Amino acid sequence: MRVRSRAVSGEQKVKRRNAILQTALTDFADMAYDELTMDHIAADAGLAKGTLYLYFRSKEEVFLALCERELSQWFDDLDTALQTRRAEMSVNSLVALFADSFAGRPQLLRLLAILHTGLEHNVHYAAALSFKTLLKTRTATTGALLESYLRFLVPGQGAVLLIKIYALIIGFEHLSEPSGVVREVLSQPDMELFRVNLQSALLDTLKILLMGLAYEAKYRQA
Amino acid sequence: MRVRSRAVSGEQKVKRRNAILQTALTDFADMAYDELTMDHIAADAGLAKGTLYLYFRSKEEVFLALCERELSQWFDDLDTALQTRRAEMSVNSLVALFADSFAGRPQLLRLLAILHTGLEHNVHYAAALSFKTLLKTRTATTGALLESYLRFLVPGQGAVLLIKIYALIIGFEHLSEPSGVVREVLSQPDMELFRVNLQSALLDTLKILLMGLAYEAKYRQA
Amino acid sequence: MRVRSRAVSGEQKVKRRNAILQTALTDFADMAYDELTMDHIAADAGLAKGTLYLYFRSKEEVFLALCERELSQWFDDLDTALQTRRAEMSVNSLVALFADSFAGRPQLLRLLAILHTGLEHNVHYAAALSFKTLLKTRTATTGALLESYLRFLVPGQGAVLLIKIYALIIGFEHLSEPSGVVREVLSQPDMELFRVNLQSALLDTLKILLMGLAYEAKYRQA
Amino acid sequence: MRVRSRAVSGEQKVKRRNAILQTALTDFADMAYDELTMDHIAADAGLAKGTLYLYFRSKEEVFLALCERELSQWFDDLDTALQTRRAEMSVNSLVALFADSFAGRPQLLRLLAILHTGLEHNVHYAAALSFKTLLKTRTATTGALLESYLRFLVPGQGAVLLIKIYALIIGFEHLSEPSGVVREVLSQPDMELFRVNLQSALLDTLKILLMGLAYEAKYRQA
DNA sequence: AATGAATGAGGATTCATTCAT
DNA sequence: TATGAATGAATCCTCATTCAT
């Protein structure tokens, strides 16, 4: 019986909760969501399986919370990077900025890809609300920020753009991670079209999207 | 012991295979992929479970084949609709054309959303190859067709555009089908941003994408 | 539809039956009984699965018949070898003779090892009777032959000796074919005792058995 | 939901493990290994199926452990019986001693008969190692003991004798448990030869074996 | 708060055998 | 007689979750 020091104070509890999330993240980097068991996470966190359930109500809530945390950090990064800029930004420099923000967060992109089919099921209202509220708030803020740097964006379009980016992440993440057999098939020379690189596909499409919005804005003015 | 005529000739076998796919499609319209068992499909098709395995090697191969068939029909529709046109098309009319092509195929969109995480696993090389080959061929053909109607597309860009559309379908499909709890959360007034309508989100983004490509082409010329 | 020439005459039927047995034997040399499917045998024999059931009533009857045939040939060999001898034989030379008789028939020994747990189940009376009758007849004949060469054997002891040999074959066959993991364990130096070589274990024990019988005979006389 | 006290301490766990083995043994007395399902054992043990898998990794490991336990008890009995004796033993009295040791353990003999074809497959290295190690140790000890009571045995021959006995058990167990149809066939008067009584066949052969070894020893000396 | 023993639902798949053709 | 499409029984094991301690 290991009986780790008990987390009595609220602060200690937050720390332990974060430790669990950190373990989940590390484990998730090594294996697929389905392969990752609660046993595994508990063992790696040096806790008993039951203890996990004192902090999260289900496996999905663990990863939803993780997604929330990672997403929040991503928004932090993005906001910081944006606020560094003084004036209007070009499409290219904004795309580059997004590129940087994705760069060190492969796990976040993978989490988003399973968010709707996996993580948002078997979750309590409170957890879902917390997640969506964070997402809403940050999307609104960062969306507004984007609007201030990209003059062609109409109020509200910043947030909508972020939703589109979100959809692109999910879609291209799926495309870029083929199963074993499919990878074999795609290794054929004539299958080049389907060998998707997540970063470049994402950024390429984002750029086109921004140009489309810019073009549309021109039209509108005319 | 259900009495069913035996599929002896090759033609009959093709028919039976299609009947199985049709049953799978109908069942899939009513329930989620995970809830759908081979037992269920067999019963609905009036066949023994083992018989399914004479035509498909796994549950995944059933749905991969179904996806292949539906996708093929979608390309048929699209190609036909395109070939009806005489000359260059406007962005708006092309978007409308895509809208029509998606309209009657909600199941196809749902299948695409689980293709990479579900259907392409536990599948033999032959099945994966068949699927990807069809996708490649049709993407190439239809992509070329698109290029002929949208003058701003450079050779090869038509197929790449289709891949982007494909990613958008996956992404927006995920966004537009929230789980029970999440739907509850999203029913709040301030969550409007996340209440995604698949069709409109898809077409809106497609339009922006096309405008972006058009804009890019202008640039290139200049 | 392959429709091989039909076996109409009785002679043709016997031939086809034998061809099936031969295929089964060849296949059995390559893989374990459980891994060997009727499909496999049918395909290798160039016949339809259903055709196999025209000649044998079950998978077990195929292999029981095969065992019968192989056993019969083994008795043939043994009898021939014995009849070559003019006079009384020494224990050692008889053991050598048995050694020769086993040498080219590894499949027979493997069949005997699964005879009682596998082949004699799911078999019709006729097949079981045929097998046991052959075994009885040949055991009696060869047993008597043995008695004539080994003077220390009392009438009836020859057949009983063959039964003992039979038990030894089953036992040592089991001991000599460990599963994968067990083979690993037995590869340890201190596990030498369990690394059984079928031939030598069998012959060694047979020799002791014969000596025991000889000794017993001496006693009896005294 | 059956209410059962939890096995918390190591001692309790050992007890529960043994309770499972005991249930398996009882069930095995009533039916064949193949007919016995994990469901069945769990129900009889008053446990959930999953609980069985907390103590054993597979059905095979349950029965391998059972075999290990029964074997161990058999060696205990044998050793005790041997150690009761003061001096050298006659062949006949040793055979009688073996007879006693087998008497109350029909299940052990049946387990040995399926050990190599069944129980040693689908088993982890640790389980196989544990089993073989026990077998090795006890075989060595009891083998040595035998050597001290039977002067004609050369060092090492005791263990080898036990292996031979082991093979005889497997072989005669197979011969003595005919399937339904075969039993019918063997009930014919002329099939007496094949109606094997396990005990007597085993002991008869054992006696001959011992006499053979004694004879051989005499030879050696001369 | 922490533990970890106990729970039990849940489903794809194989293959010997049958029987319509 | 030959074919091969159709049948369907049969079962192990995982792992998220619970709850007695």
Side-chain angles (χ1 to χ4, degrees), chain D residues 120-150:
Chain D
E120 289 186 350
H121 293 259
N122 195 25
V123 148
H124 283 250
Y125 185 84
L129 180 64
S130 165
F131 181 79
K132 289 295 180 189
T133 302
L134 172 110
L135 196 56
K136 186 201 65 180
T137 313
R138 310 283 327 227
T139 300
T141 310
T142 306
L145 217 50
L146 287 173
E147 288 159 19
S148 72
Y149 287 99
L150 298 172

mmCIF file of all heavy atoms in Angstrom, chain D residues 120-150:
data_model
loop_
_atom_site.group_PDB
_atom_site.id
_atom_site.type_symbol
_atom_site.label_atom_id
_atom_site.label_comp_id
_atom_site.label_asym_id
_atom_site.label_seq_id
_atom_site.Cartn_x
_atom_site.Cartn_y
_atom_site.Cartn_z
ATOM 1 N N GLU D 120 0.192 -26.077 -21.756
ATOM 2 C CA GLU D 120 1.446 -25.335 -21.901
ATOM 3 C C GLU D 120 1.416 -24.351 -23.067
ATOM 4 O O GLU D 120 2.424 -23.742 -23.403
ATOM 5 C CB GLU D 120 2.626 -26.310 -22.029
ATOM 6 C CG GLU D 120 2.907 -26.998 -20.688
ATOM 7 C CD GLU D 120 4.151 -27.868 -20.710
ATOM 8 O OE1 GLU D 120 4.713 -28.101 -21.802
ATOM 9 O OE2 GLU D 120 4.564 -28.323 -19.643
ATOM 10 N N HIS D 121 0.243 -24.210 -23.663
ATOM 11 C CA HIS D 121 0.093 -23.194 -24.711
ATOM 12 C C HIS D 121 -0.635 -21.988 -24.121
ATOM 13 O O HIS D 121 -1.360 -22.119 -23.138
ATOM 14 C CB HIS D 121 -0.689 -23.773 -25.879
ATOM 15 C CG HIS D 121 0.045 -24.861 -26.599
ATOM 16 N ND1 HIS D 121 0.710 -24.651 -27.790
ATOM 17 C CD2 HIS D 121 0.228 -26.160 -26.282
ATOM 18 C CE1 HIS D 121 1.270 -25.791 -28.171
ATOM 19 N NE2 HIS D 121 0.994 -26.721 -27.273
ATOM 20 N N ASN D 122 -0.443 -20.851 -24.719
ATOM 21 C CA ASN D 122 -1.115 -19.627 -24.254
ATOM 22 C C ASN D 122 -0.799 -19.317 -22.795
ATOM 23 O O ASN D 122 -1.687 -18.974 -22.015
ATOM 24 C CB ASN D 122 -2.627 -19.759 -24.458
ATOM 25 C CG ASN D 122 -3.325 -18.420 -24.356
ATOM 26 O OD1 ASN D 122 -2.715 -17.379 -24.585
ATOM 27 N ND2 ASN D 122 -4.591 -18.450 -24.003
ATOM 28 N N VAL D 123 0.446 -19.477 -22.479
ATOM 29 C CA VAL D 123 0.895 -19.311 -21.104
ATOM 30 C C VAL D 123 2.125 -18.410 -21.135
ATOM 31 O O VAL D 123 2.892 -18.434 -22.085
ATOM 32 C CB VAL D 123 1.238 -20.715 -20.547
ATOM 33 C CG1 VAL D 123 2.347 -20.655 -19.555
ATOM 34 C CG2 VAL D 123 -0.002 -21.373 -19.979
ATOM 35 N N HIS D 124 2.269 -17.582 -20.143
ATOM 36 C CA HIS D 124 3.424 -16.694 -20.116
ATOM 37 C C HIS D 124 4.671 -17.419 -19.607
ATOM 38 O O HIS D 124 4.587 -18.433 -18.927
ATOM 39 C CB HIS D 124 3.130 -15.477 -19.254
ATOM 40 C CG HIS D 124 2.265 -14.478 -19.963
ATOM 41 N ND1 HIS D 124 2.723 -13.259 -20.388
ATOM 42 C CD2 HIS D 124 0.970 -14.551 -20.344
ATOM 43 C CE1 HIS D 124 1.743 -12.600 -20.972
ATOM 44 N NE2 HIS D 124 0.669 -13.360 -20.957
ATOM 45 N N TYR D 125 5.790 -16.826 -19.947
ATOM 46 C CA TYR D 125 7.071 -17.414 -19.572
ATOM 47 C C TYR D 125 7.139 -17.722 -18.080
ATOM 48 O O TYR D 125 7.540 -18.809 -17.675
ATOM 49 C CB TYR D 125 8.200 -16.461 -19.961
ATOM 50 C CG TYR D 125 9.573 -17.018 -19.736
ATOM 51 C CD1 TYR D 125 10.172 -17.833 -20.690
ATOM 52 C CD2 TYR D 125 10.277 -16.761 -18.562
ATOM 53 C CE1 TYR D 125 11.428 -18.363 -20.488
ATOM 54 C CE2 TYR D 125 11.543 -17.293 -18.343
ATOM 55 C CZ TYR D 125 12.110 -18.096 -19.314
ATOM 56 O OH TYR D 125 13.347 -18.626 -19.099
ATOM 57 N N ALA D 126 6.725 -16.749 -17.270
ATOM 58 C CA ALA D 126 6.815 -16.916 -15.816
ATOM 59 C C ALA D 126 6.075 -18.169 -15.351
ATOM 60 O O ALA D 126 6.584 -18.939 -14.528
ATOM 61 C CB ALA D 126 6.252 -15.687 -15.111
ATOM 62 N N ALA D 127 4.881 -18.372 -15.895
ATOM 63 C CA ALA D 127 4.075 -19.525 -15.481
ATOM 64 C C ALA D 127 4.741 -20.824 -15.918
ATOM 65 O O ALA D 127 4.812 -21.794 -15.151
ATOM 66 C CB ALA D 127 2.671 -19.416 -16.066
ATOM 67 N N ALA D 128 5.230 -20.832 -17.142
ATOM 68 C CA ALA D 128 5.895 -22.034 -17.648
ATOM 69 C C ALA D 128 7.151 -22.328 -16.831
ATOM 70 O O ALA D 128 7.425 -23.472 -16.466
ATOM 71 C CB ALA D 128 6.250 -21.851 -19.121
ATOM 72 N N LEU D 129 7.881 -21.259 -16.542
ATOM 73 C CA LEU D 129 9.109 -21.431 -15.767
ATOM 74 C C LEU D 129 8.802 -21.978 -14.379
ATOM 75 O O LEU D 129 9.459 -22.912 -13.900
ATOM 76 C CB LEU D 129 9.836 -20.085 -15.648
ATOM 77 C CG LEU D 129 11.142 -20.125 -14.848
ATOM 78 C CD1 LEU D 129 12.156 -21.015 -15.538
ATOM 79 C CD2 LEU D 129 11.714 -18.723 -14.657
ATOM 80 N N SER D 130 7.812 -21.410 -13.749
ATOM 81 C CA SER D 130 7.432 -21.860 -12.415
ATOM 82 C C SER D 130 7.097 -23.345 -12.428
ATOM 83 O O SER D 130 7.553 -24.124 -11.587
ATOM 84 C CB SER D 130 6.228 -21.045 -11.927
ATOM 85 O OG SER D 130 5.632 -21.657 -10.822
ATOM 86 N N PHE D 131 6.318 -23.720 -13.403
ATOM 87 C CA PHE D 131 5.905 -25.124 -13.489
ATOM 88 C C PHE D 131 7.099 -26.045 -13.711
ATOM 89 O O PHE D 131 7.280 -27.037 -13.002
ATOM 90 C CB PHE D 131 4.895 -25.297 -14.632
ATOM 91 C CG PHE D 131 4.415 -26.704 -14.767
ATOM 92 C CD1 PHE D 131 3.439 -27.198 -13.915
ATOM 93 C CD2 PHE D 131 4.952 -27.551 -15.722
ATOM 94 C CE1 PHE D 131 2.998 -28.505 -14.025
ATOM 95 C CE2 PHE D 131 4.514 -28.864 -15.836
ATOM 96 C CZ PHE D 131 3.542 -29.339 -14.979
ATOM 97 N N LYS D 132 7.903 -25.711 -14.671
ATOM 98 C CA LYS D 132 9.020 -26.583 -14.996
ATOM 99 C C LYS D 132 10.054 -26.613 -13.871
ATOM 100 O O LYS D 132 10.709 -27.638 -13.652
ATOM 101 C CB LYS D 132 9.675 -26.133 -16.307
ATOM 102 C CG LYS D 132 8.828 -26.392 -17.540
ATOM 103 C CD LYS D 132 8.620 -27.882 -17.784
ATOM 104 C CE LYS D 132 7.780 -28.136 -19.019
ATOM 105 N NZ LYS D 132 7.383 -29.545 -19.181
ATOM 106 N N THR D 133 10.195 -25.498 -13.210
ATOM 107 C CA THR D 133 11.152 -25.460 -12.104
ATOM 108 C C THR D 133 10.706 -26.376 -10.979
ATOM 109 O O THR D 133 11.496 -27.168 -10.445
ATOM 110 C CB THR D 133 11.303 -24.016 -11.584
ATOM 111 O OG1 THR D 133 11.727 -23.190 -12.659
ATOM 112 C CG2 THR D 133 12.307 -23.961 -10.441
ATOM 113 N N LEU D 134 9.431 -26.283 -10.643
ATOM 114 C CA LEU D 134 8.913 -27.192 -9.627
ATOM 115 C C LEU D 134 9.134 -28.635 -10.047
ATOM 116 O O LEU D 134 9.644 -29.466 -9.278
ATOM 117 C CB LEU D 134 7.422 -26.965 -9.390
ATOM 118 C CG LEU D 134 6.803 -28.025 -8.487
ATOM 119 C CD1 LEU D 134 6.432 -27.457 -7.147
ATOM 120 C CD2 LEU D 134 5.651 -28.742 -9.146
ATOM 121 N N LEU D 135 8.778 -28.908 -11.273
ATOM 122 C CA LEU D 135 8.888 -30.281 -11.761
ATOM 123 C C LEU D 135 10.333 -30.766 -11.695
ATOM 124 O O LEU D 135 10.621 -31.890 -11.266
ATOM 125 C CB LEU D 135 8.368 -30.341 -13.210
ATOM 126 C CG LEU D 135 8.053 -31.722 -13.745
ATOM 127 C CD1 LEU D 135 7.055 -32.436 -12.860
ATOM 128 C CD2 LEU D 135 7.540 -31.645 -15.168
ATOM 129 N N LYS D 136 11.221 -29.881 -12.083
ATOM 130 C CA LYS D 136 12.642 -30.240 -12.083
ATOM 131 C C LYS D 136 13.132 -30.544 -10.671
ATOM 132 O O LYS D 136 13.750 -31.578 -10.398
ATOM 133 C CB LYS D 136 13.458 -29.092 -12.681
ATOM 134 C CG LYS D 136 14.925 -29.401 -12.875
ATOM 135 C CD LYS D 136 15.735 -28.121 -12.977
ATOM 136 C CE LYS D 136 15.672 -27.361 -11.663
ATOM 137 N NZ LYS D 136 16.437 -26.101 -11.655
ATOM 138 N N THR D 137 12.844 -29.615 -9.775
ATOM 139 C CA THR D 137 13.309 -29.757 -8.399
ATOM 140 C C THR D 137 12.784 -31.035 -7.757
ATOM 141 O O THR D 137 13.551 -31.833 -7.194
ATOM 142 C CB THR D 137 12.843 -28.555 -7.558
ATOM 143 O OG1 THR D 137 13.124 -27.368 -8.275
ATOM 144 C CG2 THR D 137 13.525 -28.538 -6.209
ATOM 145 N N ARG D 138 11.501 -31.223 -7.887
ATOM 146 C CA ARG D 138 10.898 -32.380 -7.255
ATOM 147 C C ARG D 138 11.339 -33.670 -7.918
ATOM 148 O O ARG D 138 11.558 -34.686 -7.253
ATOM 149 C CB ARG D 138 9.365 -32.284 -7.290
ATOM 150 C CG ARG D 138 8.778 -30.973 -6.803
ATOM 151 C CD ARG D 138 8.748 -30.783 -5.306
ATOM 152 N NE ARG D 138 8.551 -31.918 -4.506
ATOM 153 C CZ ARG D 138 7.684 -32.003 -3.482
ATOM 154 N NH1 ARG D 138 6.886 -30.969 -3.215
ATOM 155 N NH2 ARG D 138 7.623 -33.063 -2.737
ATOM 156 N N THR D 139 11.480 -33.638 -9.204
ATOM 157 C CA THR D 139 11.945 -34.828 -9.905
ATOM 158 C C THR D 139 13.345 -35.202 -9.428
ATOM 159 O O THR D 139 13.650 -36.383 -9.204
ATOM 160 C CB THR D 139 11.962 -34.576 -11.432
ATOM 161 O OG1 THR D 139 10.637 -34.252 -11.844
ATOM 162 C CG2 THR D 139 12.427 -35.803 -12.186
ATOM 163 N N ALA D 140 14.171 -34.173 -9.273
ATOM 164 C CA ALA D 140 15.536 -34.426 -8.820
ATOM 165 C C ALA D 140 15.537 -35.037 -7.413
ATOM 166 O O ALA D 140 16.178 -36.071 -7.163
ATOM 167 C CB ALA D 140 16.335 -33.125 -8.831
ATOM 168 N N THR D 141 14.794 -34.412 -6.525
ATOM 169 C CA THR D 141 14.757 -34.891 -5.136
ATOM 170 C C THR D 141 14.203 -36.310 -5.049
ATOM 171 O O THR D 141 14.827 -37.204 -4.471
ATOM 172 C CB THR D 141 13.856 -33.971 -4.291
ATOM 173 O OG1 THR D 141 14.244 -32.623 -4.508
ATOM 174 C CG2 THR D 141 13.960 -34.340 -2.815
ATOM 175 N N THR D 142 13.031 -36.485 -5.602
ATOM 176 C CA THR D 142 12.399 -37.791 -5.517
ATOM 177 C C THR D 142 13.202 -38.833 -6.295
ATOM 178 O O THR D 142 13.287 -39.998 -5.884
ATOM 179 C CB THR D 142 10.952 -37.714 -6.035
ATOM 180 O OG1 THR D 142 10.274 -36.679 -5.315
ATOM 181 C CG2 THR D 142 10.230 -39.027 -5.831
ATOM 182 N N GLY D 143 13.789 -38.392 -7.376
ATOM 183 C CA GLY D 143 14.644 -39.295 -8.137
ATOM 184 C C GLY D 143 15.791 -39.803 -7.271
ATOM 185 O O GLY D 143 16.102 -41.009 -7.257
ATOM 186 N N ALA D 144 16.405 -38.880 -6.557
ATOM 187 C CA ALA D 144 17.514 -39.262 -5.679
ATOM 188 C C ALA D 144 17.048 -40.223 -4.585
ATOM 189 O O ALA D 144 17.733 -41.202 -4.249
ATOM 190 C CB ALA D 144 18.128 -38.008 -5.053
ATOM 191 N N LEU D 145 15.866 -39.917 -4.086
ATOM 192 C CA LEU D 145 15.285 -40.773 -3.054
ATOM 193 C C LEU D 145 15.105 -42.194 -3.584
ATOM 194 O O LEU D 145 15.438 -43.182 -2.913
ATOM 195 C CB LEU D 145 13.929 -40.183 -2.655
ATOM 196 C CG LEU D 145 13.520 -40.253 -1.179
ATOM 197 C CD1 LEU D 145 14.621 -39.734 -0.283
ATOM 198 C CD2 LEU D 145 12.238 -39.453 -0.970
ATOM 199 N N LEU D 146 14.592 -42.267 -4.769
ATOM 200 C CA LEU D 146 14.394 -43.575 -5.395
ATOM 201 C C LEU D 146 15.710 -44.322 -5.505
ATOM 202 O O LEU D 146 15.802 -45.528 -5.260
ATOM 203 C CB LEU D 146 13.770 -43.416 -6.780
ATOM 204 C CG LEU D 146 12.285 -43.030 -6.830
ATOM 205 C CD1 LEU D 146 11.862 -42.744 -8.265
ATOM 206 C CD2 LEU D 146 11.432 -44.147 -6.233
ATOM 207 N N GLU D 147 16.731 -43.586 -5.885
ATOM 208 C CA GLU D 147 18.040 -44.214 -6.042
ATOM 209 C C GLU D 147 18.531 -44.836 -4.740
ATOM 210 O O GLU D 147 19.220 -45.856 -4.746
ATOM 211 C CB GLU D 147 19.056 -43.170 -6.540
ATOM 212 C CG GLU D 147 18.821 -42.790 -8.004
ATOM 213 C CD GLU D 147 19.447 -41.444 -8.366
ATOM 214 O OE1 GLU D 147 20.339 -40.976 -7.626
ATOM 215 O OE2 GLU D 147 19.024 -40.851 -9.380
ATOM 216 N N SER D 148 18.145 -44.189 -3.639
ATOM 217 C CA SER D 148 18.629 -44.710 -2.355
ATOM 218 C C SER D 148 17.891 -45.978 -1.924
ATOM 219 O O SER D 148 18.372 -46.755 -1.120
ATOM 220 C CB SER D 148 18.510 -43.631 -1.281
ATOM 221 O OG SER D 148 17.156 -43.443 -0.949
ATOM 222 N N TYR D 149 16.706 -46.170 -2.486
ATOM 223 C CA TYR D 149 15.953 -47.366 -2.110
ATOM 224 C C TYR D 149 16.119 -48.503 -3.103
ATOM 225 O O TYR D 149 15.877 -49.658 -2.796
ATOM 226 C CB TYR D 149 14.463 -47.042 -1.954
ATOM 227 C CG TYR D 149 14.180 -46.256 -0.705
ATOM 228 C CD1 TYR D 149 14.012 -44.886 -0.742
ATOM 229 C CD2 TYR D 149 14.105 -46.919 0.533
ATOM 230 C CE1 TYR D 149 13.774 -44.160 0.413
ATOM 231 C CE2 TYR D 149 13.862 -46.203 1.695
ATOM 232 C CZ TYR D 149 13.693 -44.823 1.635
ATOM 233 O OH TYR D 149 13.471 -44.132 2.769
ATOM 234 N N LEU D 150 16.459 -48.114 -4.312
ATOM 235 C CA LEU D 150 16.689 -49.134 -5.330
ATOM 236 C C LEU D 150 18.161 -49.114 -5.685
ATOM 237 O O LEU D 150 18.619 -48.260 -6.449
ATOM 238 C CB LEU D 150 15.840 -48.838 -6.570
ATOM 239 C CG LEU D 150 14.323 -48.848 -6.366
ATOM 240 C CD1 LEU D 150 13.618 -48.356 -7.613
ATOM 241 C CD2 LEU D 150 13.836 -50.255 -5.992
#
